[in-house]
Amino acid sequence: MKYKRTFGDKLFDGINILVMIFLILITLYPLWHVLMTSFASPEAISKYGSMLIWPEGFNLTSYKYVLTNPMIGIGYRNTLLIVLVGTSLSLFMTCLGAYGLACKWVMGHKWMVLLVTIPMFFGGGLIPSYLLVRSLGLYNSFWALILPGVVSSWNMIMMRTYFQGIPESLSESARIDGANDIHILFRILVPCAIPIVAVMILFYAVGYWNAWFNASIYLKDRDKYPLQLVLRGILISGSQRDFDTGYLTGANKTQIFKGLKYATVVVSTLPILLVYPFLQKYFVKGIMVGSIKG
């Protein structure tokens, strides 16, 4: 039976479409403005300000100085190292922890779930964390940015819930054939849990990529600064020394520096924007199944 749409149905759909278009516009406009301003000339930035919606006086000078700035290159190198090592280690540890929590035959299973849940609501605080990092000899090293947050309790519980949704007959058959827990985890469960694994990679990678606070506390050498800490120094502190070039001269020095800042924002966010589409198809499936089942 074909349902006949009434005027009220069409009106409701029309209002929803208009609301969604409005939300899309107010969400995309800041990104669009940053992108257009990064390509605009200093004169256009000074003339149009925040109403710039097209790159007037199109030029790539800002990107030239951003990409040749040594601190940007150093920040990229450090951030890529932290993201690769941190994401790999976090994913490995999360898989191990989630498998242990998913096995109901493990002694003290319910108590372990409770212990993993507690850190989601209570923490030791900044000062104890800082003292612990110093006492472990991690101060002014990349490990201070990776090890303290190597495992997220929420991510572990979400992956554990996904593992519980996989039929136990697969694990039992493998165990009968002589497989141990390591083989069951990495040869059966993980290949069956690609959606949640992709979600974990995205969560951890974005977390490591955007992290700057711990770096500002635990790192003292500028050569070890990640990209986001370099970006913070440019955007928040207005540190024009990070662009010590002849380009920052003249009466429109402020507008020139604003174009450099926006170009820096684009360069620092572009990698994540390029990676996300490849993981998007797993995102909704992994989140829904990992959150509901179990």
Side-chain angles (χ1 to χ4, degrees):
M1 179 178 178
K2 187 176 181 180
Y3 174 74
K4 185 177 180 181
R5 294 172 57 81
T6 64
F7 174 77
D9 294 333
K10 296 178 181 179
L11 179 62
F12 179 76
D13 291 343
I15 293 176
N16 279 340
I17 292 173
L18 292 177
V19 171
M20 292 304 299
I21 292 176
F22 175 74
L23 292 177
I24 291 173
L25 290 177
I26 63 176
T27 302
L28 291 181
Y29 176 73
L31 300 176
W32 179 259
H33 172 68
V34 169
L35 182 62
M36 293 301 101
T37 306
S38 67
F39 288 114
S41 64
E43 292 77 13
I45 297 174
S46 177
K47 180 178 179 181
Y48 296 102
S50 60
M51 298 303 296
L52 186 64
I53 59 175
W54 194 253
E56 299 287 342
F58 181 85
N59 71 83
L60 298 175
T61 308
S62 296
Y63 286 95
K64 172 185 175 182
Y65 283 97
V66 167
L67 296 177
T68 57
N69 177 21
M71 282 306 300
I72 296 296
I74 292 173
Y76 253 112
R77 179 198 66 191
N78 296 337
T79 298
L80 289 176
L81 177 62
I82 293 170
V83 169
L84 291 176
V85 176
T87 302
S88 301
L89 187 59
S90 294
L91 182 62
F92 177 74
M93 298 297 294
T94 302
C95 288
L96 293 180
Y99 178 70
L101 296 179
C103 295
K104 297 181 180 179
W105 47 265
V106 174
M107 184 179 299
H109 164 77
K110 294 183 178 180
W111 288 105
M112 286 193 296
V113 174
L114 178 62
L115 291 176
V116 171
T117 306
I118 289 176
M120 295 174 57
F121 305 99
F122 304 98
L126 178 59
I127 295 178
S129 300
Y130 179 81
L131 296 176
L132 177 62
V133 169
R134 288 194 67 97
S135 64
L136 294 176
L138 302 178
Y139 183 75
N140 198 35
S141 72
F142 291 139
W143 290 114
L145 311 182
I146 297 175
L147 294 181
V150 69
V151 175
S152 167
S153 298
W154 171 256
N155 291 344
M156 184 184 296
I157 292 175
M158 192 159 55
M159 179 169 279
R160 166 245 188 186
T161 306
Y162 198 103
F163 283 167
Q164 288 180 332
I166 299 175
E168 294 184 7
S169 57
L170 295 176
S171 301
E172 293 173 354
S173 300
R175 199 176 299 277
I176 292 174
D177 291 336
N180 56 28
D181 291 313
I182 298 297
H183 288 88
I184 292 174
L185 173 59
F186 291 106
R187 294 191 178 183
I188 297 178
L189 295 184
V190 171
C192 291
I194 293 300
I196 196 66
V197 170
V199 171
M200 294 298 103
I201 292 175
L202 181 64
F203 281 0
Y204 281 121
V206 172
Y208 283 117
W209 184 273
N210 291 330
W212 64 269
F213 183 70
N214 285 349
S216 66
I217 297 174
Y218 300 132
L219 298 181
K220 64 179 180 179
D221 295 338
R222 286 176 59 84
D223 290 341
K224 296 181 179 179
Y225 280 7
L227 180 62
Q228 298 303 327
L229 191 56
V230 175
L231 179 62
R232 178 183 180 275
I234 296 173
L235 297 180
I236 305 301
S237 302
S239 178
Q240 297 188 9
R241 65 175 180 173
D242 290 320
F243 291 101
D244 187 16
T245 67
Y247 185 54
L248 291 174
T249 58
N252 57 353
K253 188 173 182 179
T254 302
Q255 285 72 34
I256 295 174
F257 186 61
K258 183 178 292 186
L260 289 173
K261 291 196 295 184
Y262 285 146
T264 306
V265 172
V266 174
V267 170
S268 64
T269 56
L270 189 60
I272 293 297
L273 294 178
L274 293 178
V275 169
Y276 181 78
F278 296 99
L279 300 177
Q280 184 182 13
K281 61 180 180 180
Y282 301 112
F283 188 78
V284 175
K285 182 179 179 182
I287 286 292
M288 292 300 295
V289 178
S291 301
I292 296 175
K293 282 190 177 181

